[in-house]
Amino acid sequence: MESLQPLDTLLNSSKREELQRFAEGLSRDQLLWVGGYLTGIGNAANAQGISDGVDEHVTILFGTETGNAKRLAEALATKARISGVQANLQDMLTYSRARMRQDRILLVIVSTHGDGDPPDTARALHTLLTGSQVPDLRHLRFSVLALGDASYPRFCQVGKEFDTALAAAGARRLLPRVDCDVDYEERATHWMEQALAAVTARPPTPLPTSILGKGRFGQTSFPATLVEKIKLSGHGSSREVWHLEIDLNGSGLHYVPGDIVSVNPTNPPQLVEALLDRFKLDHRTPVQTRHGEIPLMEALAAHYEITKLTRPFLERYASLGNAKELRSVLAEQDINRFISWIDGREIIDIVDQYPVDAPDAQAFVDCLRPLPPRRYSIASSLMAAPGEVHLVVAAVRYASQGRERMGVASTFLADRVAVGRPVPISIEPNAEFRLPADPEQAVIMIGAGTGVAPFRAFLQEREALGATGGNWLFFGDRHFSTDFLYQREWLRWLKDGHLTRMDVAFSRDQEHKVYVQDRLRARAGDMYAWLEEGAAVYVCGAEAMGRSVQRTLVEIIQLSGRTSEQAEEYILELKQAGRYHRDVY
């Protein structure tokens, strides 16, 4: 019988450490399964006369805003290495033109941020591939996994643009592009399996769930208890903002400042009733869902999106009846006209405008997409509020198309969850928005409205740790008297020195609107000095504010004598050094 070689002669220290990290946390049954899986790979390799794995180098390239693309890329890299593929995991932020010329196989996982924008980390590469100086890529084979949100008209736009640009540069598709909505796990897993099968020229093998982990729809929510609800906005404010405190005891949940709480809401009951009434459907009718067979009312209330319009919904709904007018809308090639058409409309409007006679309950449910969790920046530190997590929520209410509308999760929290009642939540780590490891490093925090939430958590954490680095906050909202969120806390931190500087912008307290970017310009010299001394910058708030702040930062850096291109390069270097972070939505 042939004796086994010692492990240290087969695997170098890096491979052994990688194997050990992978095995950590696996149960006995999982370890047995993986052992059998690896044995199968070894037997297959032996039968084919393969001794040293697959002779292919694969680069797995990711561009991420919230971390989902990175998590999937890491899972794919682990699976590739187990399969014998030499996989290089690469962030788009640091991917160079020179490396692109060397790579032969490129597996791209990229998200679309908002309605068609690339993630911050992908902007430079996106500009390169869609610009006029695109390298010759005829040597390259590739495939793209595009992540997005179908409620945006430009669904998966960035993934589509990467796919088109790579092909236009001469690269050949290893597999067709796959587009994923917010419930991406199943489609992403299938693409990974097919991609590795194409690389290895072997039949696809299942991706172990222990490697993929759990995405937003795979998370098990915990029924945490709401223990405090305080209205932050003052009397007369045009906004309704709430501070919520949620008890985590018994949940096993842990977070650090910068992380995200995902809330699993239920839909407004009146909207569920309206849909049942329009279709004259019995609320007890059983329908088949990913959660098994449940009553129709429960499915519409807790498991399906029944507000936001998506193109997939419109296409499926149009197929239920002879909706010629709706089909003509879907055939519209002008994306801006389509965006204008869906603006202010929800599913109930489509049901009313394009009625379907006596639809089957299952057929209607199959038109809908799963109800996605809603994400909120955490506004507390466990060091300051042990066993609790705090949120800042602006209740969304508005009128359109002659109807009163409401945000699903925000009004769920503001109206339908009372103190003492459970809130189904989970924690999403947000590694892209973390405080510096060095407590002496200064931070500049720029937030508007509820975007100030993570900075309250930052200050609580820095105070508890005794961090000595400077803290500078820029905060903007509408009115000083009604919208100065957490005013007393900021002023206390200013007084005791934990908050070094604070600049505020209340846009509607004067004739000409003033925003946080205007305050940044007014402090340009000091801002640049802080950057030159090593400060890290954090931006949180709406996407439009984030874009304006970035343009302003470029302007500030140009005042040092740099050109606009050099200022953009300065920002890129901040990102690469982990000193520029954005959490915009």
Side-chain angles (χ1 to χ4, degrees):
M1 182 175 179
E2 186 176 335
S3 61
L4 293 175
Q5 298 179 50
L7 182 62
D8 57 0
T9 67
L10 290 171
L11 298 177
N12 59 32
S13 60
S14 175
K15 290 290 185 184
R16 291 199 303 275
E17 289 171 4
E18 188 175 318
L19 184 61
Q20 185 174 356
R21 284 197 302 271
F22 167 68
E24 286 176 359
L26 296 184
S27 68
R28 178 180 177 277
D29 288 344
Q30 289 171 329
L31 288 169
L32 290 173
W33 189 96
V34 170
Y37 175 72
L38 294 176
T39 299
I41 289 177
N43 290 339
N46 186 59
Q48 296 175 38
I50 301 172
S51 59
D52 294 319
V54 180
D55 188 21
E56 285 288 9
H57 292 260
V58 174
T59 291
I60 299 169
L61 186 63
F62 66 89
T64 190
E65 190 75 32
T66 63
N68 287 331
K70 180 179 181 180
R71 185 178 62 83
L72 290 174
E74 290 171 340
L76 177 57
T78 300
K79 166 70 171 173
R81 290 160 186 162
I82 290 173
S83 301
V85 176
Q86 299 181 55
N88 171 57
L89 188 64
Q90 182 74 52
D91 189 333
M92 286 185 179
L93 183 62
T94 56
Y95 191 61
S96 67
R97 182 193 295 263
R99 181 58 194 258
M100 188 183 298
R101 288 197 176 102
Q102 295 174 0
D103 284 333
R104 293 294 177 267
I105 299 178
L106 193 63
L107 300 179
V108 180
I109 305 177
V110 64
S111 63
T112 294
H113 185 58
D115 192 18
D117 292 323
D120 280 349
T121 57
R123 287 183 183 276
L125 182 61
H126 180 268
T127 299
L128 169 65
L129 289 174
T130 57
S132 58
Q133 302 296 319
V134 183
D136 183 346
L137 300 179
R138 283 175 291 181
H139 62 279
L140 187 68
R141 289 183 294 160
F142 76 97
S143 185
V144 174
L145 178 70
L147 305 182
D149 183 338
S151 65
Y152 289 99
R154 294 183 178 88
F155 172 56
C156 285
Q157 182 69 24
V158 176
K160 294 173 183 177
E161 290 172 358
F162 267 103
D163 182 68
T164 300
L166 287 167
R172 293 163 293 149
R173 289 184 179 88
L174 193 67
L175 289 174
R177 186 191 72 249
V178 171
D179 298 337
C180 298
D181 200 356
V182 289
D183 55 334
Y184 57 78
E185 284 86 354
E186 185 176 339
R187 289 178 65 81
T189 300
H190 181 72
W191 175 81
M192 289 183 188
E193 293 168 355
Q194 294 297 319
L196 288 178
V199 170
T200 61
R202 300 175 189 160
T205 57
L207 191 71
T209 55
S210 59
I211 293 178
L212 185 61
K214 295 181 178 180
R216 290 171 66 186
F217 283 86
Q219 294 280 2
T220 301
S221 61
F222 177 80
T225 303
L226 180 64
V227 295
E228 188 72 80
K229 182 189 291 188
I230 301 169
K231 193 173 182 182
L232 291 179
S233 46
H235 179 69
S237 174
S238 57
R239 305 176 72 210
E240 178 189 326
V241 181
W242 296 89
H243 167 84
L244 307 179
E245 299 182 3
I246 299 170
D247 185 358
L248 297 179
N249 287 316
S251 68
L253 297 176
H254 178 82
Y255 66 87
V256 297
D259 284 350
I260 303 293
V261 161
S262 280
V263 176
N264 290 85
T266 57
N267 286 306
Q270 59 269 41
L271 190 53
V272 175
E273 290 286 355
L275 284 172
L276 292 171
D277 181 63
R278 298 296 193 280
F279 290 128
K280 296 180 172 53
L281 291 171
D282 187 335
H283 69 276
R284 296 166 297 183
T285 303
V287 290
Q288 192 64 40
T289 73
R290 64 172 63 195
H291 304 281
E293 189 175 89
I294 58 177
L296 176 60
M297 175 171 274
E298 180 185 342
L300 295 180
H303 299 293
Y304 288 97
E305 179 91 74
I306 61 171
T307 53
K308 290 185 178 180
L309 286 180
T310 68
R311 181 175 283 274
F313 165 79
L314 292 169
E315 291 170 347
R316 293 169 193 149
Y317 183 80
S319 71
L320 294 182
N322 187 25
K324 292 183 179 178
E325 186 180 347
L326 180 55
R327 289 198 180 94
S328 70
V329 170
L330 292 171
E332 175 61 62
Q333 296 299 310
D334 186 336
I335 185 65
N336 292 320
R337 290 183 63 180
F338 178 72
I339 291 171
S340 177
W341 183 83
I342 67 171
D343 184 43
R345 284 183 165 90
E346 292 184 346
I347 286 175
I348 189 71
D349 302 300
I350 302 304
V351 169
D352 281 348
Q353 190 171 352
Y354 308 103
V356 175
D357 294 332
D360 174 70
Q362 187 68 55
F364 177 64
V365 164
D366 289 344
C367 291
L368 305 171
R369 71 172 186 169
L371 178 62
R374 267 41 172 199
R375 307 168 76 249
Y376 292 94
S377 297
I378 291 174
S380 57
S381 160
L382 282 171
M383 297 184 74
E388 293 184 357
V389 65
H390 299 173
L391 306 180
V392 188
V393 177
V396 176
R397 308 181 200 276
Y398 63 99
S400 69
Q401 303 287 319
R403 282 194 171 93
E404 294 299 317
R405 314 289 187 176
M406 57 184 69
V408 173
S410 65
T411 58
F412 167 75
L413 293 168
D415 300 345
R416 302 197 299 279
V417 179
V419 170
R421 301 299 299 167
V423 183
I425 67 168
S426 57
I427 302 291
E428 286 188 39
N430 186 11
E432 311 302 317
F433 205 78
R434 294 279 169 81
L435 277 167
D438 181 0
E440 295 182 1
Q441 186 173 354
V443 297
I444 300 169
M445 302 164 284
I446 307 165
T450 58
V452 80
F455 304 139
R456 179 177 184 263
F458 281 12
L459 264 292
Q460 286 186 352
E461 184 89 352
R462 300 266 278 185
E463 180 182 32
L465 290 172
T468 57
N471 301 299
W472 188 354
L473 175 66
F474 289 85
F475 171 66
D477 215 311
R478 296 181 181 180
H479 297 284
F480 171 85
S481 60
T482 59
D483 304 310
F484 198 165
L485 308 182
Y486 298 115
Q487 177 184 9
R488 291 182 180 178
E489 294 185 39
W490 305 126
L491 294 180
R492 177 182 68 79
W493 277 317
L494 272 171
K495 184 177 179 180
D496 65 23
H498 289 295
L499 184 56
T500 313
R501 299 181 65 163
M502 183 175 188
D503 285 271
V504 295
F506 294 101
S507 60
R508 304 185 187 186
D509 277 351
Q510 57 281 313
E511 183 179 352
H512 300 290
K513 291 182 179 178
V514 177
Y515 299 104
V516 288
Q517 55 267 30
D518 298 310
R519 295 299 183 220
L520 289 170
R521 289 190 191 95
R523 303 288 184 264
D526 289 347
M527 272 287 298
Y528 182 71
W530 276 52
L531 291 176
E532 285 291 279
E533 290 166 7
V537 180
Y538 299 82
V539 183
C540 186
E543 173 66 32
M545 183 277 290
R547 286 196 297 267
S548 295
V549 165
Q550 177 142 329
R551 286 194 297 268
T552 304
L553 289 175
V554 169
E555 293 172 16
I556 289 171
I557 293 162
Q558 283 183 264
L559 293 175
S560 69
R562 291 176 172 85
T563 64
S564 117
E565 292 76 15
Q566 289 169 335
E568 293 282 1
E569 183 65 26
Y570 188 102
I571 295 289
L572 181 61
E573 289 171 359
L574 290 179
K575 292 175 183 175
Q576 292 172 336
R579 291 178 50 210
Y580 182 56
H581 310 266
R582 300 200 321 156
D583 186 359
V584 295
Y585 40 84

